[in-house]
Amino acid sequence: MKGYASLVKPYILWMSLFIVVPMLLIVLYAFTTSGNELISFRFTLDNFFRFFDPVFIKVLLKSLEVALITTLLCIIIGYPIAYIIANASEKSQTLLILLITLPMWINMLVRTYAWISILSDGGLLNSLLGFIGLPQMKLMYTDFAVMLGMVYNFLPFMIISIYTVLAKLDKALIHASHDLGANPLQTFLRVVLPLSLPGVISGITLVFLPAVSTFVIPKFLGGGQYMLIGNLIENQFITVGEWNFGSAISLIMAFIIMASMMMTRKMDRDASENTGSEGGKLW
Amino acid sequence: MVGAKSHKVLIFVLMALILTFFYLPILSLMVFSFNDSRSLTSWSGFSLQWYEALFKNREMMMAITTTLSIALMSTFVATILGTLAAIGVSKSKRLVKEIVLSVNNFPILNPEIVTAIGLMLLYSSLNIQKGYMTMLLAHIIFSTPYVILSVLPKLRRLDPDIAEAALDLGATPLEALWKVIVPMILPGIISGALIAFTMSFDDFVISYFVSGNGVKNISILVYTMSKRINPTINALSTILVVIITVVLLIVNLYPMLNKKKELKEAE
């Protein structure tokens, strides 16, 4: 059996070449000047200094803001939905989860493209507004459209991740809480909510990460002028051809994402230490 | 319970709203693929002209072939590579295991755009022309980690004595691998292959950065075409949605029907 351990060797070689080297190349590009040959690098921090221009900082802040609001909306909408599904009969649970996950299988570009006709002037949503006697609104190419597209694309992840935790929740705990005299609201706030936090946390990871880095949704629903950090990186690589600056921006983005992930994980750990949400610690 | 009824109504309304939110765009997309005019907002009559246009459009047919062939080939290679790597990892020393798995997690945890530019830089520093092969290689690279993650749990539950017994009974290591280990971890391999296939089929970001010379998959085509209103995209999307729905329904309903059959037979 030990002989099979050598099967990992080809993959280690593969991984080094196709996962590690590309990461190192991004770092290398970020810290060097453009036009360098593989033999002589010219080390520089200019690419990072360049980013601290108000224009780019604004793009970064905007991306974080949009991703944060998207994540919050996904929690606010997703939690009640996950809660309802988790408390439905077993048969409806299977059906509802199937219905929620089905759109996730459809190509993300197609799903985002589908909103264009609904949000456009004279589109379905504006016709609806006109129908109930409200004035027409400009919906396409706004923050609203971009966030709507993000919530639409990422909400299923939040619902599924909260649902899996809620569905596994020991019903005996809820009964115990009732028996001990807690009202439904107290039971929810003191028992169900703390125990379901890990689901919310993993949902945050699943929504925030793609929301920060996406460039398709802002391009489709925000228009060509709408700039988030993903669009900025795309521009540097595809349109402008400034790979060194683009690499530096990607590093900054990756760093921010990693930092926020570590923060959420730490929050999760603190929360579970305080409430003992890791099953065993409860008693 | 006084509020039980209004409670139920509220739940029903909420679920109806959320399902409308999820399905309305897809339905509207499908409906307007049958529209007689170019408009995606006003209905002017039923027609199949966009489907006709789709099948006449060489670029679109090429994109469909590219997407399918890359998905099939990358799934095939990634499944073999990932399964072998997973078997190797599960038998490796702890340190090797930890290092391999944390590097393996990189493409999964990193934003896609970072993986994409990493590969783009790799190709350019090796002076490789971007095209079909670069896209295929990239798809194998980003889907293999998912195969490994899906096979590993099955290996953890595998009894090492069984493969040992096969070896003692005179099987060569290859036979023991193929006839004993692989059949026992098959569910993990199959779900890994399915993940690899859908990842490849749906990929946009990585393909967009690593392909060139006019090689496009469906996602890249949708991206470049959607700058103008184009009902052929609706027609293409409708076909994709129908295929995916049918496949998913079969996959999800088949076990349910089987269970019913078993129950009936048990009676």
Side-chain angles (χ1 to χ4, degrees), chain A residues 1 4 11 99 113 152 234, chain B residues 22-23 91 104 173 208 234:
Chain A
M1 278 300 271
Y4 292 127
Y11 189 63
L99 283 173
Y113 169 81
Y152 183 72
E234 187 216 350
Chain B
F22 278 137
Y23 285 94
K91 300 286 170 246
N104 191 55
Y208 177 63
N234 293 47

Side-chain angles (χ1 to χ4, degrees), chain B residues 121-142:
Chain B
L121 294 177
L122 176 74
Y123 290 147
S124 106
S125 44
L126 294 175
N127 264 328
I128 302 174
Q129 267 282 317
K130 289 194 287 179
Y132 185 88
M133 291 313 284
T134 49
M135 189 170 11
L136 177 62
L137 181 61
H139 281 226
I140 298 169
I141 294 167
F142 76 69

